[in-house]
Amino acid sequence: SEEATIGFLRHAEIKHGRIAMFAFVGFIAGSNGVRWPWAMTLEGTPFPTDAAPGAQWDALPSAAKWQIVCFAAIFELWSEGAMKTHYMKGGKAGEFPSFKDSEVALPHPVPFDLFDPFGFSKKASAEKKAAGLVKEINNGRLAQIGIMGCLAESKVEGAVPAIAGKIAHYDGDYMAPFEANFHLF
């Protein structure tokens, strides 16, 4: 139905915007030398310094990459399977199901929800929530443009004149994230 299609497209836009916001902040942090304070591997290999964010990803061991992919898959399965009313059947697009109040039982207690972990927006009016969603959608759209601009500039210097020379060059392939090391064992 048309309502289901609109729900699907709106949910996809919100979800892609959220991922783009994470990606953009991560790209900027990685480009500016922000690193975890611990070693990257159990053997003590440190996180790379002075490397483009794409090269930082390439330096991760395969097990770490698979852990990240599996963590995202678990969130995706939860977001699709634990909804009370699915967004394609009249539910709210962009909503992430609660860990605490779900009809689906988790194998261990989860003290906080992913969205609004401290309950600050529970008492917000419907108008305030709707305005916040519009802001989130617009920020997500801008983040999608921003991350693609950073990726383009890292591959072709001068591709984005406003940030020319400010992004480290990356020789790898963004479209093949497991290119350097694609195996499970």
Side-chain angles (χ1 to χ4, degrees), residues 33-179:
V34 176
R35 305 283 183 271
W36 295 111
W38 50 81
M40 182 172 66
T41 65
L42 294 175
E43 292 80 31
T45 306
F47 284 95
T49 57
D50 300 329
Q56 294 170 18
W57 170 263
D58 291 343
L60 287 174
S62 290
K65 292 177 185 178
W66 282 110
Q67 185 177 19
I68 293 167
V69 170
C70 289
F71 183 74
I74 288 168
F75 268 10
E76 182 66 20
L77 289 171
W78 180 261
S79 74
E80 291 292 324
M83 288 186 166
K84 291 179 181 157
T85 305
H86 197 270
Y87 53 85
M88 290 183 70
K89 295 180 180 174
K92 186 177 173 187
E95 183 177 292
F96 192 87
S98 171
F99 292 127
K100 298 184 291 187
D101 304 329
S102 175
E103 296 170 2
V104 179
L106 290 171
H108 57 80
V110 178
F112 300 109
D113 280 327
L114 187 63
F115 173 76
D116 194 22
F118 303 109
F120 293 142
S121 68
K122 281 189 177 187
K123 296 177 185 172
S125 67
E127 295 81 20
K128 185 175 180 181
K129 288 180 180 180
L133 182 60
V134 169
K135 290 174 188 174
E136 181 182 16
I137 290 169
N138 287 333
N139 287 337
R141 290 172 179 166
L142 186 59
Q144 290 174 58
I145 294 168
I147 189 63
M148 293 310 293
C150 289
L151 297 177
E153 180 62 30
S154 73
K155 293 298 287 179
V156 180
E157 191 167 331
V160 184
I163 57 174
K166 295 179 180 156
I167 304 284
H169 183 74
Y170 174 56
D171 290 320
D173 187 356
Y174 286 118
M175 299 308 288
F178 290 90
E179 176 183 84

Side-chain angles (χ1 to χ4, degrees), residues 13-39:
E13 179 181 28
I14 293 167
K15 187 184 296 186
H16 284 92
R18 289 173 180 163
I19 298 303
M21 287 186 271
F22 277 119
F24 183 75
V25 169
F27 192 97
I28 297 303
S31 293
N32 286 292
V34 176
R35 305 283 183 271
W36 295 111
W38 50 81

